[in-house]
Amino acid sequence: MHYQELQRKCFIAVLNHSPPSPNVDMPYTPEERLAFVNNRSLNVVSAAAAGELRIATENSQDTADVVAGSALYFPSDVPGQFKSDIINSTLFAQLAADSKYDRWDDAVNWYNDYKAVLDMLGWDTHNFQMIEIGDVGHYGSMARVVSQLSASFLSGEQLGQLSSMINALKETRNEAAENTFNNQSRRLNAANFQIGVVRILDGNRTMAIQQYVELSSQEIDRVLFDAFGDAKVKLQGGNQTMLLNEQIYAQIREAVLAKLSNHPLNVLIRPIEL
């Protein structure tokens, strides 16, 4: 078996990537979830002014967005409200984790907190477990790492969607979106980012998400597109499929919106022109 094929199998074996059951009992009351949102500190991102939250409209075409250190793909059949819920809840979780743990120097605790926040917001998640990905230089760039390791995790259609998003993000027309992604996911020679593809599965709204933590011997500029070259790169990655319980999230949606409205969303959320 070729080494890269073995890595793909190990990558997919890290987690049971089937979406969680939508009938799993949730241990928190609506009051507890609301108090959590209202009281949770969010990382302060400097900008000239706070941005205005938008409700994503229904779209006849597929769309994609950079959400801080995440890049997310939305097929055209995803309702606009659900798209907004995903964007806002995952942004809230990133900013909350950023406020407690260093995204780059303490990635394990960062992901533990990121998961805990997502769970409180109504997501049903697995643990964000990681495996070491060896011989990284053989891939050439992070974009190729993501694309090749996705082959055993995503369906053919989802793999095509992910590839189209990554290819579009590299284009000049999406410079603002890529700059946001780079600025929020990397610091000097380290990066911590997520790549997600949303879909409707058996009536449930799910997101197949991958997470990566990179440490390079050279400074990182373009997280996905820098050539590894002679750099020594230590890389960890993992994946899972998460499900958002919309009934639970609806109970705290307005509180999340209110909390995020004080942050510069115009520099944290950027559309990717596919």
Side-chain angles (χ1 to χ4, degrees), residues 70-162:
S70 301
L72 308 178
Y73 189 100
F74 299 89
S76 60
D77 63 344
V78 174
Q81 182 63 68
F82 181 56
K83 177 179 177 180
S84 285
D85 291 346
I86 288 181
I87 289 174
N88 296 334
S89 61
T90 55
L91 176 59
F92 187 99
Q94 288 183 73
L95 295 177
D98 286 343
S99 73
K100 290 188 69 174
Y101 300 101
D102 189 288
R103 186 182 187 117
W104 302 277
D105 293 338
D106 197 2
V108 171
N109 281 323
W110 190 93
Y111 272 109
N112 287 340
D113 195 60
Y114 178 68
K115 168 191 160 45
V117 175
L118 289 175
D119 288 344
M120 187 63 83
L121 297 182
W123 284 94
D124 197 355
T125 70
H126 301 285
N127 289 325
F128 281 84
Q129 298 176 7
M130 299 280 199
I131 64 167
E132 294 283 344
I133 300 172
D135 193 22
V136 173
H138 186 77
Y139 292 97
S141 69
M142 273 304 309
R144 291 194 63 192
V145 171
V146 173
S147 296
Q148 293 191 34
L149 293 184
S150 297
S152 295
F153 173 55
L154 300 177
S155 67
E157 181 182 24
Q158 287 180 302
L159 187 60
Q161 293 166 340
L162 178 141

Side-chain angles (χ1 to χ4, degrees), residues 213-247:
V213 176
E214 175 188 2
L215 182 64
S216 175
S217 62
Q218 299 180 6
E219 187 166 333
I220 298 170
D221 180 27
R222 304 180 72 185
V223 173
L224 290 174
F225 307 116
D226 278 354
F228 291 143
D230 295 329
K232 295 180 180 179
V233 178
K234 180 180 179 181
L235 184 63
Q236 295 179 309
N239 60 69
Q240 64 172 289
T241 296
M242 312 188 305
L243 182 148
L244 179 60
N245 187 317
E246 290 186 273
Q247 290 183 327

Side-chain angles (χ1 to χ4, degrees), residues 2-210:
H2 292 297
Y3 181 69
Q4 285 185 304
E5 176 63 20
L6 177 61
Q7 282 201 326
R8 283 198 294 268
K9 290 183 180 296
C10 290
F11 186 70
I12 191 59
V14 171
L15 299 170
N16 173 10
H17 64 280
S18 300
S21 168
N23 297 318
V24 173
D25 292 333
M26 296 297 178
Y28 305 106
T29 67
E31 293 76 17
E32 288 172 329
R33 294 178 192 276
L34 186 60
F36 174 85
V37 171
N38 289 332
N39 296 326
R40 184 61 196 260
S41 297
L42 301 184
N43 190 48
V44 177
V45 179
S46 60
E52 182 174 334
L53 275 169
R54 58 186 172 84
I55 298 296
T57 57
E58 309 299 327
N59 203 307
S60 60
Q61 297 180 334
D62 294 1
T63 60
D65 291 85
V66 164
V67 182
S70 301
L72 308 178
Y73 189 100
F74 299 89
S76 60
D77 63 344
V78 174
Q81 182 63 68
F82 181 56
K83 177 179 177 180
S84 285
D85 291 346
I86 288 181
I87 289 174
N88 296 334
S89 61
T90 55
L91 176 59
F92 187 99
Q94 288 183 73
L95 295 177
D98 286 343
S99 73
K100 290 188 69 174
Y101 300 101
D102 189 288
R103 186 182 187 117
W104 302 277
D105 293 338
D106 197 2
V108 171
N109 281 323
W110 190 93
Y111 272 109
N112 287 340
D113 195 60
Y114 178 68
K115 168 191 160 45
V117 175
L118 289 175
D119 288 344
M120 187 63 83
L121 297 182
W123 284 94
D124 197 355
T125 70
H126 301 285
N127 289 325
F128 281 84
Q129 298 176 7
M130 299 280 199
I131 64 167
E132 294 283 344
I133 300 172
D135 193 22
V136 173
H138 186 77
Y139 292 97
S141 69
M142 273 304 309
R144 291 194 63 192
V145 171
V146 173
S147 296
Q148 293 191 34
L149 293 184
S150 297
S152 295
F153 173 55
L154 300 177
S155 67
E157 181 182 24
Q158 287 180 302
L159 187 60
Q161 293 166 340
L162 178 141
S163 296
S164 69
M165 177 173 65
I166 291 177
N167 291 337
L169 195 57
K170 189 176 184 179
E171 298 296 326
T172 304
R173 67 179 184 273
N174 286 310
E175 181 178 4
E178 192 199 350
N179 285 343
T180 292
F181 180 77
N182 291 332
N183 291 338
Q184 297 301 315
S185 66
R186 60 108 165 92
R187 183 178 66 192
L188 299 177
N189 64 332
N192 176 353
F193 66 94
Q194 304 80 42
I195 301 285
V197 178
V198 177
R199 70 168 172 168
I200 309 296
L201 180 64
D202 298 329
N204 298 313
R205 280 75 184 270
T206 67
M207 179 166 64
I209 189 169
Q210 301 174 61

Side-chain angles (χ1 to χ4, degrees), residues 51-55 88 91 256-261 265 269:
E52 182 174 334
L53 275 169
R54 58 186 172 84
I55 298 296
N88 296 334
L91 176 59
V256 171
L257 293 174
K259 201 70 176 282
L260 288 176
S261 65
L265 303 178
I269 302 172

